[in-house]
Amino acid sequence: MHEYKVNLIWKTERIGEISSPELNSKIEVATPPQFPNGVEGIWSPEHFFTAAVNSCFMTTFLAIAENSKLEFLEFNCGAIGKLEQIDNKFMMTEVELSPTLKISKLADKEKAERVLAKSEKACLISNSITSKVLLKINIIT
C-alpha cells in the first residue's frame, strides 16, 4: 500500500491552495468559471481530474514502452475531460486522451499502437474511475 498526502487551505472567495508535505510546490485551485462565482485562469478540480488521467497514462506508457523496448523520439498527449449533469448530479463522464508518439522506424508502428493501448488499460487512475476513457492515437515518423 502507498499513501499520498495532500493538504488544502481555503484562501479567499472560491480559491484555495493545494500542497503536500511530500512535494515542493503549491497549486492554486478554484471553482471553474462555468459555475457561479467561478474563477478563470486557475486550476479546478475538473482540470486536476483530467490531468490525473493524462499524467497516469504517460507514466504508465513510459514504463510499458521501456519494458517493451519500444524506441520513440517524442511523446505528448492532450486530454479533454467531459463534465455532464446526469440525474441532477455533476459527473466527469469521459476523458479523451490524444497521444501523439513520434517513432524513428515505421516498422515499429503496430508495436507502438499496442503499447499505447496497453498503457491505457493498465493506467491505475483510469482503472480507479467510472468515467469512460477514450484513446485517439496519432503515430508519426
Side-chain angles (χ1 to χ4, degrees), residues 9-132:
I9 297 172
W10 170 73
K11 297 298 229 177
T12 183
E13 298 173 359
R14 298 289 180 108
I15 301 172
E17 184 178 80
I18 298 273
S19 65
S20 172
E22 304 158 353
L23 304 173
N24 296 326
S25 60
K26 298 175 181 180
I27 303 172
E28 276 192 316
V29 61
T31 303
Q34 295 80 11
F35 290 93
N37 300 313
V39 182
E40 287 193 35
I42 296 179
W43 283 82
S44 69
E46 294 81 357
H47 287 103
F48 283 139
F49 182 93
T50 305
V53 174
N54 198 359
S55 57
C56 183
F57 173 69
M58 180 202 72
T59 57
T60 305
F61 166 76
L62 294 174
I64 292 174
E66 182 179 337
N67 290 337
S68 302
K69 297 186 180 11
L70 173 66
E71 293 181 25
F72 62 95
L73 304 171
E74 294 175 19
F75 172 90
N76 65 66
C77 187
I80 300 171
K82 183 190 264 185
L83 177 70
E84 294 184 279
Q85 190 170 10
I86 298 175
D87 297 329
N88 292 321
K89 289 197 267 185
F90 284 102
M91 300 173 61
M92 295 296 290
T93 57
E94 182 179 290
V95 177
E96 181 181 292
L97 298 173
S98 299
T100 297
L101 185 65
K102 184 174 184 180
I103 56 176
S104 58
K105 296 181 254 174
L106 188 57
D108 286 342
K109 185 174 182 182
E110 286 183 25
K111 181 179 185 179
E113 289 172 345
R114 285 193 309 272
V115 168
L116 287 164
K118 186 176 181 181
S119 300
E120 190 282 314
K121 298 222 180 315
C123 172
L124 71 94
I125 299 295
S126 293
N127 291 333
S128 300
I129 61 174
T130 58
S131 306
K132 181 190 290 188

